[in-house]
Amino acid sequence: MNIGPYSWQEYLVMVKAFHGYTAPGVLVGGYMVAAAQQRLPEGVLYDAVCETRSCLPDAIQLLTPCSVGNNWLRVFHFGRYALSLYDKYCGEGWRVYVDPEKLSDWPEIKTWFLKLKPKKEQDTPRLMQEIEAAGDSICSLQPIRMQPQFLVRRSKGEIGICPQCREAYPIADGLLCRACQGETPYAQVPGEIGPTQIDAPLLTRTPVEKAVGRTALHDMTKIIPGVSKGPALLHGQEITVGDLCRLHQMGRYHIFIADNQPDPEEWTHEDAAALAFAQALAGPGVCFNGPPREGKINLRAERDGLLLVNRERLTRFNLVEGVMCAGRQGFRIVREGQIIAGTRAVPLYLPTAALQQALTVLKAGPVYEVRSLRRSRVGILVTGTEIVRGLVQDKFAPIIQAKVENLGSRVLGVIIVPDEREAIRQAVADLLDKGIDLLVTTAGLSVDPDDVTRQGLIDAGAEDLLYGAPILPGAMTLLASIGAVQVIGVPACALYYKNTSFDLLLPRLLAGLTITRQDLAAMGHGALCQECPTCTFPKCNFGC
């Protein structure tokens, strides 16, 4: 059976020359490519997507104009043996994949593809015969349309010279090339920053007696155990005779003075580095107080609100040798003036290349932001036939009202209805008419067959429902929206526990954050309340 314009034998020679050996995956891939090509309109210019890094990309590069080098082939490591060819202008095309349900007639292909036997136990000659005979019959095809971002032609943009390695690179990658940012695969290359290349510049240790009248190059810290810690001598301060006794009492007999500063193009003083870091780390709602002290500077909340932290960016920043930033956990309420983070350069002098590497990480955006909480107009819907009948006193509404008012919002209305879908739908409509922008529903969210709150909300127009969250207490939380109105359903456990999922999610809603299923999944780490005898929330680990 031919593979495109080539005979089986011709293709075997091509695969061996290009791939190194006649890999079964490249052979099967040839039939897959040909099957997709046959279904594309004649003369169409197409791009390719491959869903595995193994073998299949080589079949695409052998049989089409698409390659990794010309950027017409994009490889995603999904681990699925599938490829797609699509019109590079409109995005329409075909996806081909090896279908496990079609392998039953081809036992050796099935054994190879599903790795049912070690490679040395497989019958390679028979496998090759089956691949040639099967052709594309073991594949299934699907018409596809690509997402718009895959139709955009990407350019490297402006090219510059990396100040560290002096090689050309796309300036869009940052202040340094990606290799000098620490992404190099090499243990060590001259010019690139390695994991242990943070050395100190050559500085002269000066006896304090000979430093009188000179300028200190660094802060000198005095610690009285259990009493105080702070600089006894400041960077830039002139050393006097009166300072000698204090320094001796601190056990300091030598000092670095400003006469011996290193080359500023190669080394950056800790204070200058800390200031540069603070400027880049601080986003909206975050400020910092200068000048740095002891090489450190603190970031503070510029306003009341919810602290947001880009954890991935903070991790990348802290991976740069010689720099650090430590801060509070995200998604906590902070008050104006509170310290939320501190940053510094670890050595007295940081290599300027390391400074640029750290700042390149932060070029993508700040790490810290304080998002103001809106003053929401809240409607509370309490469901429960037993409450309507007077059998049980409602205690939900007072609990919810106290919590929303504590965050600066106000309740426009409270409606109590029986566990009936139509009553719930009508009550939601009535609350919406009052002009609410946040609807809090209570109870009616369990597996009890009488609980119809979710159904009533859907009848009222609720969309994008997320039901269930990895938070205890509060797993049966519901999130949704009705137009621009946010909806949160609070499970019955809020009657018993002081803090639940509602306390973790409400600030996010008031900060205007869109909560996704992925966000909820990530909250599972740290969302187990310890039910302490004396609750200190939010000064505890619940929700962290």
Side-chain angles (χ1 to χ4, degrees):
M1 183 182 294
N2 283 1
I3 297 178
Y6 305 104
S7 69
W8 172 255
Q9 291 300 326
E10 288 173 331
Y11 188 62
L12 287 179
V13 173
M14 292 170 58
V15 170
K16 185 173 182 180
F18 186 80
H19 190 76
Y21 68 101
T22 51
V26 186
L27 302 179
V28 172
Y31 289 115
M32 296 170 67
V33 172
Q37 287 175 319
Q38 291 171 8
R39 286 162 176 78
L40 292 175
E42 186 175 352
V44 69
L45 295 176
Y46 57 84
D47 283 351
V49 162
C50 186
E51 300 180 29
T52 178
R53 296 181 188 146
S54 301
C55 293
L56 194 52
D58 281 1
I60 297 171
Q61 294 180 112
L62 270 172
L63 297 173
T64 77
C66 306
S67 72
V68 174
N70 64 20
N71 205 33
W72 295 357
L73 166 61
R74 291 182 174 91
V75 180
F76 298 92
H77 191 42
F78 298 153
R80 303 191 299 190
Y81 217 75
L83 63 85
S84 297
L85 302 184
Y86 61 92
D87 186 313
K88 64 173 60 191
Y89 297 110
C90 71
E92 294 182 352
W94 287 87
R95 178 177 183 266
V96 188
Y97 66 98
V98 174
D99 192 338
E101 295 184 359
K102 296 184 177 182
L103 299 180
S104 57
D105 294 334
W106 310 99
E108 203 59 38
I109 296 179
K110 182 176 181 179
T111 296
W112 160 76
F113 187 71
L114 299 179
K115 298 188 182 302
L116 302 179
K117 294 180 182 178
K119 187 174 182 179
K120 63 182 180 180
E121 296 180 14
Q122 296 174 14
D123 187 340
T124 300
R126 183 179 177 186
L127 173 60
M128 293 299 183
Q129 293 171 2
E130 287 192 4
I131 291 175
E132 182 183 9
D136 62 13
S137 68
I138 59 174
C139 300
S140 290
L141 291 95
Q142 302 167 320
I144 52 100
R145 180 188 292 272
M146 300 301 292
Q147 297 184 36
Q149 63 265 32
F150 290 96
L151 307 181
V152 177
R153 299 294 97 191
R154 295 183 295 175
S155 169
K156 290 182 180 179
E158 187 179 354
I159 301 297
I161 304 299
C162 174
Q164 178 63 24
C165 66
R166 307 304 301 169
E167 294 188 39
Y169 78 108
I171 288 180
D173 287 348
L175 299 176
L176 302 173
C177 71
R178 296 176 71 91
C180 289
Q181 291 179 44
E183 298 182 31
T184 176
Y186 310 113
Q188 186 172 356
V189 172
E192 293 180 2
I193 298 177
T196 59
Q197 288 183 243
I198 302 298
D199 298 319
L202 185 61
L203 299 174
T204 303
R205 296 168 70 246
T206 302
V208 293
E209 295 84 358
K210 295 183 179 181
V212 175
R214 307 285 188 86
T215 301
L217 193 55
H218 55 99
D219 294 347
M220 301 196 78
T221 305
K222 181 178 181 180
I223 299 176
I224 301 176
V227 178
S228 64
K229 173 186 177 296
L233 193 69
L234 297 176
H235 167 223
Q237 178 178 332
E238 182 178 331
I239 303 167
T240 67
V241 174
D243 295 320
L244 298 182
C245 183
R246 287 190 299 121
L247 291 173
H248 284 159
Q249 289 176 342
M250 292 165 52
R252 302 298 183 92
Y253 300 101
H254 295 85
I255 190 171
F256 293 129
I257 58 175
D259 302 37
N260 302 317
Q261 295 191 50
D263 185 348
E265 292 189 2
E266 296 184 10
W267 301 93
T268 302
H269 189 274
E270 61 177 359
D271 287 348
L275 184 59
F277 296 155
Q279 291 169 338
L281 289 162
V286 179
C287 61
F288 51 88
N289 298 332
R293 286 288 178 260
E294 303 172 276
K296 186 186 78 169
I297 192 167
N298 289 329
L299 278 65
R300 298 179 180 272
E302 199 170 33
R303 59 193 176 205
D304 295 349
L306 185 68
L307 176 62
L308 305 181
V309 182
N310 189 311
R311 295 180 60 178
E312 185 273 337
R313 197 170 297 151
L314 177 62
T315 299
R316 287 187 60 206
F317 176 82
N318 281 326
L319 282 172
V320 177
E321 188 82 7
V323 311
M324 62 78 63
C325 177
R328 295 189 58 181
Q329 299 219 346
F331 301 114
R332 291 301 201 197
I333 299 295
V334 294
R335 301 300 178 188
E336 180 181 354
Q338 276 189 317
I339 295 176
I340 59 173
T343 184
R344 68 171 302 154
V346 177
L348 176 59
Y349 275 93
L350 184 70
T352 299
L355 172 74
Q356 291 174 330
Q357 184 182 1
L359 293 178
T360 294
V361 171
L362 301 176
K363 187 179 180 182
V367 168
Y368 297 99
E369 176 185 352
V370 175
R371 186 79 63 88
S372 295
L373 304 185
R374 77 174 188 274
R375 297 185 180 278
S376 183
R377 304 180 301 278
V378 182
I380 300 176
L381 174 61
V382 180
T383 62
T385 303
E386 70 281 7
I387 300 174
V388 173
R389 292 179 178 177
L391 301 176
V392 176
Q393 180 183 0
D394 171 51
K395 294 185 179 180
F396 254 129
I399 292 173
I400 299 302
Q401 182 165 352
K403 291 187 175 186
V404 300
E405 289 180 349
N406 185 53
L407 295 179
S409 296
R410 60 192 179 98
V411 175
L412 297 188
V414 178
I415 298 180
I416 302 174
V417 296
D419 294 309
E420 299 172 4
R421 290 179 62 165
E422 176 55 27
I424 293 170
R425 186 204 65 78
Q426 184 58 53
V428 172
D430 293 343
L431 289 170
L432 294 176
D433 288 342
K434 293 180 180 292
I436 65 171
D437 57 32
L438 174 63
L439 172 65
V440 181
T441 69
T442 61
L445 299 171
S446 73
V447 294
D448 190 317
D450 289 333
D451 289 343
V452 293
T453 300
R454 276 182 290 159
Q455 293 85 341
L457 289 172
I458 293 172
D459 294 344
E463 298 178 325
D464 303 321
L465 270 74
L466 295 175
Y467 176 56
I471 304 171
L472 291 173
M476 292 178 179
T477 293
L478 178 146
L479 293 168
S481 61
I482 303 177
V485 176
Q486 297 170 311
V487 179
I488 180 169
V490 184
C493 62
L495 279 172
Y496 178 78
Y497 294 100
K498 183 177 179 181
N499 297 293
T500 66
S501 55
F502 181 68
D503 300 271
L504 302 183
L505 296 172
L506 178 60
R508 300 191 189 202
L509 294 176
L510 297 180
L513 301 181
T514 299
I515 301 173
T516 65
R517 173 59 63 190
Q518 186 170 355
D519 295 327
L520 292 176
M523 292 179 72
H525 183 203
L528 175 65
C529 178
Q530 298 298 299
E531 302 179 34
C532 303
T534 301
C535 179
T536 60
F537 181 82
K539 296 180 180 180
C540 72
N541 293 325
F542 181 48
C544 294

